[in-house]
Every structure is written in C-alpha cells, then in structure tokens.
Amino acid sequence: MRGNNYMIDHTDQLILNALSENSRISMKVLGEKVHLTGAAAAQRVMKLLDNGVITSCSIEVNQMKIGYPIHAFINILIPGITHNSYLEFIKEYPHFIINNYKVSGEGCYMLEARFPSNEVLDQFLTDLNKYANYKLSIVIGQ
C-alpha cells in the first residue's frame, strides 16, 4: 500500500466488475467467475472492504413503487456564512432527503429529494424558505 492508494490486481478487478453487476452474488458463484474458491473470493472481498476499495454495500430502492414519484434537485442559496439553521432544518426530513451535497458555484448546497406529491413538495419549500433561498429542478426522466 502506497499513501492512500491500494494496488489491485487482475483478480481484484474481476471481483469488482462482478460485484458491480450483481452485488448479491454468492461468494461461491463469485469464486467460480474469478477462478477462486468461494472462501478465497470472500477473503478478497473482505480485504477490498478493509482497505477502502469497496466503500459500501447497499441497495437501490425504487422510490416510485413506495410512493415518492416527485424527484427534485434543489439548489440551496444561503445568504451569509451561517448554515446551521438550514442544516438543522433538513435533519427533520430524512424521509424526503436522499443527498445534501455541499457545492461550489452558484449555490451552497445541492439537495436531492423525493416527495409523495406536489403538495408535500410545496409545503417543504415553504418551510425551507424560512432558512434559505432555492432554485428548484424537477427530474422529468432518466
């Protein structure tokens, strides 16, 4: 290991490719794909996790199916240097907020959120406006 970099070999790359395609693959099947035993593949995966090459194991939720069809990106503009009230405000809405990115450029933050309806989005924006100005973009398609 040099500095913050971790050197991966060809087998590690094959493992990363296979896990990127299907993160639920069994270690036995993964091992077969990369010409290792299941136990050896599991060891490699643990080493990749331990060294920060793989940073998370997650699921992707279909937000439409669970009742959150409105997908919004909200460019947050906060006058002044104090952002604490805004940051406290968004903590009240973990069920809507997907990501809150601190950004450079025109705004201070880029908020990615999902809402069950335009009415709920409108109320959120009304409440948000007590802490920050915003520019709203609604996702039309992917």
Side-chain angles (χ1 to χ4, degrees), residues 18-80:
L19 290 174
S20 293
E21 288 176 20
N22 178 7
S23 62
R24 295 183 60 196
I25 192 171
S26 74
M27 290 300 113
K28 180 179 183 221
V29 172
L30 177 61
E32 290 169 1
K33 280 185 167 250
V34 300
H35 310 291
L36 295 173
T37 65
Q43 272 187 311
R44 288 276 193 132
V45 169
M46 288 307 299
K47 193 172 181 183
L48 292 167
L49 281 162
D50 291 344
N51 286 290
V53 175
I54 297 174
T55 57
S56 70
C57 303
S58 62
I59 62 168
E60 188 173 320
V61 176
N62 183 333
Q63 296 290 328
M64 298 279 279
K65 289 204 179 255
I66 62 170
Y68 288 84
I70 311 296
H71 190 185
F73 285 91
I74 307 167
N75 190 3
I76 304 297
L77 308 149
I78 302 173

Side-chain angles (χ1 to χ4, degrees), residues 29 42 48 66 78 82 90 93 100 103-105 109 111 121 127:
V29 172
L48 292 167
I66 62 170
I78 302 173
T82 304
I90 63 168
Y93 296 94
N100 182 47
V103 297
S104 65
Y109 298 91
L111 190 63
L121 168 59
D127 295 342

